Amino acid sequence: MTAVTTPAATRPLHRPDAAPAGWAVSRAPVAYPEAVEAMKARARDIADGRAGELVWLLEHPPLYTAGVSARTGDLLQPDLLPVFETGRGGQFTYHGPGQRVAYVMLDLTRRGRDVRGFVRGLERWIIGALDAFNVKGEAREGRVGVWVERRVPGLPPREDKIAAIGVRVSRWVSFHGISFNVEPDLGHYAGIVPCGITEHGVTSLVDLGLPVGMDDADAALKASFRQVFGPVEDAEPPV
């Protein structure tokens, strides 16, 4: 088993002026193309100084997305769900109901201009949210995302991915972000090789036996975000 790694210490990810980031939640599923266009527009406005930072929480209808490193052979069932190419880092992943997607549009000029440190901060954010449910999330060297160890009597320990990370940075503003499995249909992952990794599985909070709803997950994400990135204030979704 790969050795445990802890997200590395980085420059502080809080804004030095302590300005809060907006925190928006869409209650109804948002179509992927519509969400991406709104996210890109907001990132441009942040870079131009016309808008403040925003973390946008939402769910998508069932679909697959292909990051810039996606391999064609990793799409195992191309006719199962819609497939969207996207400019984020990473490979294929699944989005759907029961999975909390968080698009993170932050001004990294004001947060240290450290992309690697930013990704480590996203890992720390998810790990902190899992702590609220007494779940030990871990980072792994060479595998972006957050993992949990599964132990079944009589079987070797295995690692499952509970949250994926895929980001892009333009003009030092981040966009795309994380997907955190609360209670998605894990069967849909059978249509892809998730993130190009075949030797590990995927899981969710409910799959781990925890009766966690989306509101509970959102509260844990919000509290942990404050610890890693600083204050937030409620805002309207861009769509």
Side-chain angles (χ1 to χ4, degrees):
M1 180 177 295
T2 307
V4 175
T5 62
T6 301
T10 66
R11 301 175 186 175
L13 292 168
H14 290 225
R15 287 175 59 123
D17 59 5
W23 186 272
V25 181
S26 289
R27 297 298 176 186
V30 181
Y32 187 77
E34 183 180 6
V36 169
E37 288 307 308
M39 174 180 58
K40 288 180 178 178
R42 181 61 175 248
R44 287 193 298 268
D45 286 347
I46 294 169
D48 291 338
R50 295 193 299 266
E53 297 177 314
L54 184 68
V55 181
W56 181 20
L57 277 62
L58 67 152
E59 294 172 87
H60 287 306
L63 57 92
Y64 298 129
T65 63
V68 295
S69 302
R71 300 184 292 256
T72 302
D74 287 345
L75 181 59
L76 304 179
Q77 299 181 48
D79 298 325
L80 181 62
L81 296 174
V83 181
F84 296 91
E85 293 187 0
T86 180
R88 61 160 174 80
Q91 301 185 38
F92 280 103
T93 195
Y94 165 73
H95 296 312
Q99 180 192 78
R100 177 53 86 207
V101 172
Y103 290 132
V104 183
M105 293 155 272
L106 299 183
D107 183 352
L108 300 188
T109 294
R110 297 178 180 271
R111 295 177 182 269
R113 287 200 174 194
D114 180 355
V115 176
R116 183 180 295 271
F118 171 62
V119 173
R120 295 295 175 261
L122 296 175
E123 291 174 341
R124 298 204 315 271
W125 172 29
I126 299 163
I127 289 169
L130 289 170
D131 283 344
F133 307 108
N134 295 315
V135 174
K136 184 180 181 182
E138 297 172 331
R140 293 288 187 258
E141 192 66 35
R143 284 193 264 137
V144 175
V146 175
W147 304 79
V148 296
E149 187 176 284
R150 310 290 298 274
R151 291 186 176 271
V152 178
L155 296 176
R158 80 172 201 245
E159 296 174 349
D160 286 348
K161 194 172 197 176
I162 197 166
I165 296 172
V167 297
R168 185 171 178 180
V169 175
S170 177
R171 297 170 63 194
W172 289 108
V173 175
S174 67
F175 52 111
H176 295 283
I178 71 166
S179 55
F180 181 42
N181 287 344
V182 181
E183 191 180 5
D185 181 348
L186 296 178
H188 282 151
Y189 281 96
I192 57 172
V193 177
C195 301
I197 298 172
T198 57
E199 62 270 29
H200 302 286
V202 291
T203 190
S204 68
L205 289 172
V206 171
D207 183 53
L208 293 172
L210 300 169
V212 177
M214 196 62 76
D215 289 344
D216 301 317
D218 288 352
L221 285 168
K222 194 173 192 179
S224 182
F225 185 93
R226 287 183 173 125
Q227 292 296 315
V228 177
F229 292 101
V232 298
E233 60 183 6
D234 291 342
E236 291 297 317
V239 173

